[in-house]
């Protein structure tokens, strides 16, 4: 049991730190939660994607009634379920004027405490406490958390910064029309180039030198490797994990076959196919990579075909040649589609199209991504998009590029070519 004195010390220190030292926080777009319906709000996502700063921002919003606790604080290592009751008592001892008022609890990395769901549910339902939680563990993902909270969770996935948020972190006014057509255009394209290369982890966006960025990204990947994979899942076959890590983060925006990987590596060190599939699942559970399946009405066909792999941030992608820019662009487009809450597939029926997207009202659309449209690839890119559009019965298609922009028709399909940076600047519903 943790003493009341320690609790008071932690609560007071956290409040002072958030209010005095966190500065201006980039407000995250698309973060919507109910103000009236009683739900436990759960922010989940990969490590370092900005969940803690969302809690800091909420602390400032509800500062008069808020308590923030980080359960990775070493002073809370012995925290047990019963300590939640003491925590509330201590908070009201510090602020007796809040007795009877609606409190706000912000619980960071709360999955470290066994049984936390029971406390949160009771607090929300019976005591009308507003509760926001966060975590980097798969335990916080909707598929696992809903059974524990029995429909009382409001889950929100947090990805690294969008391009709009990245620009805000650079003190750019994203509502300035000059960003697209005026004097700021060159600066925006410069930032987009950096964003595509180094990704949107919030802390990375604050750094200026390439040396510092590379060092921080290397530390991130190391922390994710050891804490989110090796330690969390008690992984013992390190050669297999190393090889799988290298392959996954260098196979971004391409199809990845576990069977092909098994055939290539089985003679190099001992491992079973079952172990390989389990390790791959751990990457998905840790939210470090996402997979996109083939577009098909048949679940069997979707699962028997290899998935395309997209890391959670382009800063983690391992580049080997200059040709990787087109793949980075594709990774960015995927992540933005995911931010918009859309379901994404790839199209491959003897000819390929990068994405089939299912949006609102189950409306399907086709999207192709290429660095540029030129004589060598134009026919291939257009033909793939046209076939995908016909397959899903739509007469409109999109091609995203680095900087090409035009509109034309092909076989009855209206095709728009749009620079990715312009699309990313558009409103969330765009």
């Amino acid at each position: 049991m943790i003493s009341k004195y320690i609790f008071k010390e932690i609560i007071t220190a956290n409040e002072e730190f958030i209010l005095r030292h966190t500065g201006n926080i980039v407000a995250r777009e698309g973060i919507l939660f109910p103000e009236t319906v009683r739900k436990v709000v759960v922010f989940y996502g990969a490590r370092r994607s900005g969940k803690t700063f969302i809690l800091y921002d909420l602390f400032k919003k509800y500062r008069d009634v808020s308590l923030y606790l980080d359960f990775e604080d070493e002073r809370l290592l012995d925290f047990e379920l019963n300590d939640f009751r003491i925590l509330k008592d201590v908070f009201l001892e510090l602020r007796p004027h809040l007795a009877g008022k609606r409190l706000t609890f912000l619980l960071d990395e709360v999955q470290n405490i066994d049984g936390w769901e029971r406390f949160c549910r009771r607090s929300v339902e019976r005591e009308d406490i507003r509760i926001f939680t966060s975590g980097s563990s798969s335990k916080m993902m909707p598929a696992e958390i809903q059974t524990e909270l029995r429909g009382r969770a409001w889950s929100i996935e947090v990805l690294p910064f969008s391009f709009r948020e990245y620009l805000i972190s650079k003190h750019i006014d994203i509502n300035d029309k000059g960003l697209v057509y005026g004097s700021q255009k060159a600066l925006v394209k410069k930032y987009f180039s950096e964003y595509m290369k180094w990704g949107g982890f919030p802390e990375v966006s604050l750094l200026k030198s390439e040396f510092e960025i590379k060092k921080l990204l290397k530390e991130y990947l190391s922390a994710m490797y050891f804490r989110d994979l090796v330690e969390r899942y008690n992984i013992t076959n390190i050669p297999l994990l190393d090889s799988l890590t290298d392959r996954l983060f260098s196979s971004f925006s391409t199809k990845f076959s576990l069977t092909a990987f098994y055939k290539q590596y089985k003679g190099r060190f001992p491992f079973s196919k079952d172990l390989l599939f389990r390790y791959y699942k751990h990457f998905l559970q840790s939210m470090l990579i996402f997979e996109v399946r083939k577009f098909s009405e048949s679940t069997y066909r979707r699962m028997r075909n290899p998935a395309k792999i997209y890391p959670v941030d382009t800063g983690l992608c391992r580049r080997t040649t200059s040709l990787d820019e087109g793949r980075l662009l594709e990774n960015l487009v995927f992540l933005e589609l995911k931010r918009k809450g859309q379901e994404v597939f790839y199209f491959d029926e003897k000819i390929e199209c990068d994405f089939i997207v299912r949006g609102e009202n189950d409306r399907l659309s086709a999207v192709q991504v290429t660095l540029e449209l030129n004589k060598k690839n134009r026919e291939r890119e257009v033909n793939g998009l046209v076939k995908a559009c016909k397959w899903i019965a739509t007469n409109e298609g999109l091609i995203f590029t680095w900087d090409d922009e035009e509109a034309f028709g092909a076989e009855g399909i209206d095709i728009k070519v749009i620079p990715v940076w312009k699309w990313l600047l558009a409103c969330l519903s765009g």
Side-chain angles (χ1 to χ4, degrees):
M1 185 175 291
I2 300 172
S3 73
K4 285 190 172 185
Y5 172 79
I6 295 295
F7 273 137
K8 289 180 180 179
E9 184 181 74
I10 294 173
I11 291 170
T12 304
N14 285 344
E15 178 180 6
E16 181 179 349
F17 173 77
I18 294 171
L19 295 180
R20 292 190 180 184
H21 302 290
T22 55
N24 293 324
I25 295 172
V26 175
R28 304 302 295 270
E29 298 184 308
I31 301 293
L32 303 173
F33 48 82
E35 289 283 359
T36 54
V37 181
R38 295 182 181 183
K39 298 279 186 180
V40 178
V41 178
V42 180
F43 298 110
Y44 69 97
R47 190 178 298 278
R48 313 309 298 174
S49 53
K51 299 180 298 298
T52 294
F53 274 82
I54 292 174
L55 295 185
Y56 289 168
D57 206 26
L58 287 165
F59 185 94
K60 292 180 177 182
K61 178 180 179 180
Y62 302 112
R63 59 183 295 177
D64 295 332
V65 294
S66 285
L67 174 151
Y68 169 84
L69 224 56
D70 175 9
F71 288 100
E72 289 197 336
D73 188 324
E74 78 283 354
R75 294 169 294 181
L76 297 175
L77 285 175
D78 297 324
F79 192 100
E80 297 177 350
L81 188 59
N82 288 334
D83 287 321
F84 277 118
R85 177 181 51 80
I86 299 170
L87 180 65
K88 182 187 173 185
D89 291 342
V90 168
F91 184 56
L92 289 175
E93 285 178 17
L94 286 170
R95 300 185 184 181
H97 63 284
L98 294 180
K101 294 189 177 181
R102 191 180 191 193
L103 307 178
T104 297
F105 282 10
L106 303 145
L107 309 176
D108 209 351
E109 300 295 345
V110 70
Q111 78 280 353
N112 292 336
I113 310 303
D114 289 335
W116 66 272
E117 302 94 339
R118 296 199 296 277
F119 163 76
C120 289
R121 183 181 182 192
R122 178 178 57 78
S123 299
V124 165
E125 287 186 340
R126 299 184 185 179
E127 301 180 31
D128 195 26
I129 296 175
R130 187 188 286 114
I131 292 187
F132 299 91
T133 66
S134 84
S136 306
S137 166
S138 60
K139 295 177 182 177
M140 303 295 280
M141 294 175 73
E144 296 195 32
I145 205 171
Q146 294 289 2
T147 54
E148 293 289 349
L149 286 173
R150 299 173 191 165
R152 291 297 180 188
W154 185 279
S155 295
I156 300 172
E157 183 174 21
V158 179
L159 296 170
F161 279 165
S162 68
F163 183 49
R164 289 161 59 91
E165 292 163 345
Y166 181 85
L167 288 177
I168 292 169
S169 76
K170 302 289 188 183
H171 309 292
I172 299 291
D173 178 6
I174 60 173
N175 297 312
D176 180 357
K177 293 181 180 178
L179 298 183
V180 177
Y181 301 109
S183 59
Q184 294 271 64
K185 180 178 175 180
L187 180 62
V188 170
K189 290 175 71 173
K190 170 184 173 291
Y191 279 140
F192 178 68
S193 180
E194 293 175 2
Y195 175 72
M196 183 174 78
K197 185 176 183 180
W198 303 119
F201 282 117
E203 195 176 5
V204 169
S205 72
L206 300 175
L207 300 178
K208 300 214 185 315
S209 82
E210 188 169 314
F211 171 78
E212 291 176 316
I213 291 172
K214 285 182 175 179
K215 188 174 188 300
L216 185 59
L217 287 171
K218 187 175 181 181
E219 289 175 358
Y220 278 5
L221 196 52
S222 178
M224 294 167 178
Y225 177 93
F226 286 106
R227 299 187 67 181
D228 298 329
L229 294 168
V230 176
E231 292 178 5
R232 182 169 295 161
Y233 299 109
N234 298 314
I235 286 177
T236 54
N237 193 330
I238 299 302
L240 174 59
L241 184 66
D242 283 343
S243 300
L244 188 57
T245 299
D246 184 67
R247 179 58 68 85
L248 287 174
F249 286 107
S250 60
S251 297
F252 62 96
S253 304
T254 64
K255 295 173 189 172
F256 175 76
S257 167
L258 285 168
T259 300
F261 179 95
Y262 176 74
K263 289 178 180 176
Q264 182 179 354
Y265 286 90
K266 66 179 180 180
R268 302 186 188 185
F269 44 83
F271 67 96
S272 68
K273 212 172 202 179
D274 285 345
L275 188 65
L276 170 61
F277 277 68
R278 197 183 320 145
Y279 281 14
Y280 173 72
K281 186 178 179 183
H282 294 332
F283 276 94
L284 297 175
Q285 290 170 327
S286 297
M287 297 164 281
L288 297 179
I289 63 166
F290 302 106
E291 61 175 18
V292 167
R293 289 288 174 179
K294 179 177 178 177
F295 180 73
S296 173
E297 297 300 324
S298 163
T299 303
Y300 174 74
R301 282 194 71 202
R302 283 201 301 270
M303 299 311 294
R304 70 184 286 267
N305 281 278
K308 289 182 77 172
I309 299 300
Y310 297 94
V312 67
D313 187 80
T314 53
L316 300 179
C317 296
R318 291 188 176 172
R319 279 86 81 181
T320 53
T321 72
S322 59
L323 298 176
D324 294 337
E325 285 189 334
R327 293 164 59 205
L328 290 173
L329 208 62
E330 183 179 329
N331 209 114
L332 282 186
V333 171
F334 165 76
L335 291 173
E336 188 65 16
L337 292 170
K338 187 168 179 58
R339 276 189 195 91
K340 293 173 183 288
Q342 297 177 333
E343 193 175 4
V344 185
F345 307 89
Y346 71 84
F347 179 82
D348 186 0
E349 297 295 337
K350 297 182 180 178
I351 191 168
E352 298 184 16
C353 180
D354 292 317
F355 300 123
I356 299 290
V357 182
R358 178 177 282 130
E360 291 183 8
N361 302 318
D362 287 335
R363 181 176 175 271
L364 295 173
S365 56
V367 175
Q368 196 77 289
V369 185
T370 183
L371 194 64
E372 63 177 354
L373 277 178
N374 53 43
K375 290 181 180 180
K376 290 183 179 179
N377 69 2
R378 189 179 185 93
E379 183 178 355
R380 182 185 72 245
E381 300 291 347
V382 171
N383 287 348
L385 181 64
V386 166
K387 182 163 186 179
C389 287
K390 290 182 175 180
W391 196 277
I392 61 175
T394 181
N395 59 2
E396 296 179 345
L398 277 175
I399 300 179
F400 287 122
T401 67
W402 168 259
D403 209 31
D404 296 333
E405 188 167 9
E406 61 176 304
F408 60 91
E411 298 183 36
I413 307 297
D414 294 327
I415 298 174
K416 289 183 179 178
V417 182
I418 304 172
V420 171
W421 63 270
K422 281 190 180 181
W423 176 64
L424 293 178
L425 267 177
C427 64
L428 286 175
S429 59

